């Protein structure tokens, strides 16, 4: 089973639902895990299984804010060694760097990147799959968790910032504003991100513990190495292309993987794929994500994907989907 999502997060869904033993059975139906694994396992569930579990959760509850409420339960201690390292960090900025560095020890469904300018520190969430019911659920829960974790780490409310989502406001948008108290909630944004004032990053954490930080970082790095060895070459190439939004060349990816381009081509062939196929997969996925945002023009999508002119992007899109970007958006 691929380590796509830590089972701890599935348990939080169950806790939010508040279901009995029969409900737990319904929750794990057709997911590839049983009730005992859900309750006591410390491993992972693959993405198809996670999607089924999220679907089952929707059948068990009519609460539209289920994902948001689940995310509020995911405080630092629920994020394993990564959460421990964040809590033990010297400053909030250091804690945010921990989340950005080690999200992949808890899930492969999205990655977290951090950047900072004079005014803000931002955590960006980039998902490996197109927006659908399951990805929206995970977006809501991950963002609610990020917000709640930062409140806990600061030891006081967040009074400035932005929570941005890359889809239109849902009918339960008011629930977002109740969860993300004190900050602006923005829909139809080009990306999913949580931005906080830059000066928040300087705040010292009361939970800072140098020895605990060292031990937790060691555990996170060991987990990353284990996952790296488990992944196929295809997985590794897709991860690198995903990180660069498809802007990495064959030579750059091969260099990052410490092999020659010829060796990379040969290894991908053994796994019955090609670099161009993986690149097209990455670019086509991002194209559909951006086209779902009404304020993103076709020209803007083409530029984001690295095309020098719109005509080249239109030809590529036609090859990927058998239709034009404009018709795809209308559908």
């Amino acid at each position: 089973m691929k380590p796509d999502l830590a089972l701890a997060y599935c348990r939080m869904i169950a806790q939010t639902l508040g279901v009995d033993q029969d409900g737990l059975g319904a929750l794990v139906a057709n997911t590839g895990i049983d009730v005992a694994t859900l309750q006591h396992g410390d491993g992972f569930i693959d993405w198809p299984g996670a999607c089924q579990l999220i679907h089952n959760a929707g059948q068990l509850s009519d609460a539209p804010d289920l994902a948001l409420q689940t995310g509020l339960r995911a405080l630092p201690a629920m994020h394993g060694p990564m959460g421990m390292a964040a809590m033990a960090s010297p400053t909030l900025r250091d804690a945010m760097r921990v989340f950005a560095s080690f999200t992949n020890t808890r899930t492969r469904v999205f990655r977290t990147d951090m950047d900072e300018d004079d005014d803000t520190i931002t955590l960006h969430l980039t998902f490996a799959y197109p927006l659908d019911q399951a990805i929206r659920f995970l977006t809501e829960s991950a963002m609610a968790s990020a917000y709640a974790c930062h409140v806990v780490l600061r030891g006081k409310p967040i009074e400035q910032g932005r929570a941005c989502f890359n889809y239109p406001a849902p009918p339960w948008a008011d629930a977002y504003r109740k969860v993300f108290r004190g900050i602006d909630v923005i829909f139809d944004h080009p990306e999913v991100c949580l931005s906080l004032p830059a000066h928040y990053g300087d705040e010292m954490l009361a939970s800072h513990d140098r020895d605990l930080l060292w031990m937790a970082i060691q555990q996170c790095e060991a987990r990353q190495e284990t996952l790296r060895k488990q992944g196929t070459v295809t997985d590794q190439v897709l991860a690198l292309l995903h990180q660069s939004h498809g802007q990495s060349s064959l030579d750059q990816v091969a260099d990052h993987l410490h092999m020659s381009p010829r060796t990379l081509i040969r290894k991908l062939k053994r796994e019955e794929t090609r670099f161009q196929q993986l690149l097209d997969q990455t670019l086509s996925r991002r194209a559909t994500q951006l086209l779902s945002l009404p304020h993103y023009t076709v020209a803007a999508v083409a530029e984001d994907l690295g095309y020098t002119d719109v005509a080249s992007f239109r030809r590529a899109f036609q090859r990927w989907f058998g239709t034009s970007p404009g018709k795809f958006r209308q559908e």
Side-chain angles (χ1 to χ4, degrees), residues 56-76:
N56 294 345
Q59 299 297 306
L60 292 168
S61 172
D62 57 3
D65 63 342
L66 175 65
L68 293 169
Q69 295 304 318
T70 299
L72 291 179
R73 291 176 176 267
L75 300 176

Side-chain angles (χ1 to χ4, degrees), residues 29-314:
N30 303 313
T31 63
I33 63 171
D34 56 22
V35 172
T37 301
L38 173 67
Q39 291 180 311
H40 308 295
D42 59 357
F44 294 79
I45 187 172
D46 63 18
W47 183 235
C51 289
Q52 182 63 51
L53 188 141
I54 290 169
H55 172 77
N56 294 345
Q59 299 297 306
L60 292 168
S61 172
D62 57 3
D65 63 342
L66 175 65
L68 293 169
Q69 295 304 318
T70 299
L72 291 179
R73 291 176 176 267
L75 300 176
M78 302 301 295
H79 293 294
M82 177 182 70
M84 294 297 101
M87 291 178 65
S89 296
T91 68
L92 190 66
R93 178 180 291 103
D94 295 313
M96 295 176 78
R97 288 191 182 121
V98 165
F99 285 124
S101 299
F102 298 116
T103 294
N104 64 351
T105 66
R106 306 296 289 170
T107 180
R108 297 197 309 182
V109 181
F110 67 89
R111 78 170 195 271
T112 306
D113 300 297
M114 172 182 157
D115 64 38
E116 182 175 4
D117 57 30
D118 292 340
D119 300 318
T120 60
I121 304 178
T122 302
L123 289 178
H124 305 267
L125 277 61
T126 307
F127 289 81
Y129 302 98
L131 180 65
D132 60 11
Q133 177 193 16
I135 289 296
R136 177 174 295 195
F137 187 101
L138 198 58
T139 300
E140 291 182 339
S141 57
M143 285 288 286
S145 173
Y147 173 86
C149 283
H150 285 82
V151 171
V152 169
L153 291 170
R154 294 189 76 219
K156 53 187 174 183
I158 295 175
E159 299 171 339
Q160 301 176 57
R162 301 192 310 168
C164 302
F165 300 88
N166 64 343
Y167 47 77
W172 57 94
D174 285 346
Y176 282 70
R177 297 181 177 92
K178 292 178 181 177
V179 168
F180 299 97
R181 296 177 182 175
I183 66 175
D184 297 327
V185 176
I186 300 173
F187 296 101
D188 277 331
H189 195 268
E191 60 181 346
V192 179
C193 60
L194 176 67
S195 294
L196 300 177
H199 65 84
Y200 277 23
D202 299 325
E203 295 178 356
M204 302 298 295
L205 302 188
S207 55
H208 171 49
D209 185 310
R210 186 175 59 182
D211 293 336
L212 177 59
L213 175 61
W214 183 84
M215 288 188 291
I217 291 292
Q218 291 292 105
Q219 291 178 34
C220 288
E221 291 177 343
R223 180 62 188 165
Q224 281 184 327
E225 181 63 15
T226 298
L227 291 172
R228 186 189 68 79
K229 291 179 178 178
Q230 289 177 349
T232 64
V233 174
T234 299
D235 289 335
Q236 295 176 57
V237 171
L238 280 173
L240 292 171
L241 290 174
H242 182 59
Q243 290 171 13
S244 68
H245 297 312
Q247 302 308 303
S248 295
S249 67
L250 172 66
D251 288 351
Q252 290 170 328
V253 171
D255 183 65
H256 189 92
L257 296 176
H258 307 292
M259 63 181 74
S260 69
R262 181 176 295 181
T263 299
L264 177 57
I265 291 171
R266 185 172 65 251
K267 290 189 174 185
L268 289 174
K269 186 176 181 180
R270 288 177 188 165
E271 296 177 7
E272 300 182 350
T273 189
R274 297 177 295 108
F275 180 80
Q276 186 61 49
Q277 183 178 342
L278 301 179
L279 180 60
D280 283 346
Q281 178 180 331
T282 303
L283 292 174
S284 62
R285 178 180 296 146
R286 182 157 179 81
T288 58
Q289 290 173 335
L290 295 178
L291 286 171
S292 69
L293 303 176
H295 60 279
Y296 242 74
T297 65
V298 172
V301 175
E303 182 180 359
D304 183 278
L305 269 59
Y307 287 92
T308 55
D309 60 84
V310 177
S312 296
F313 169 63
R314 291 183 191 277

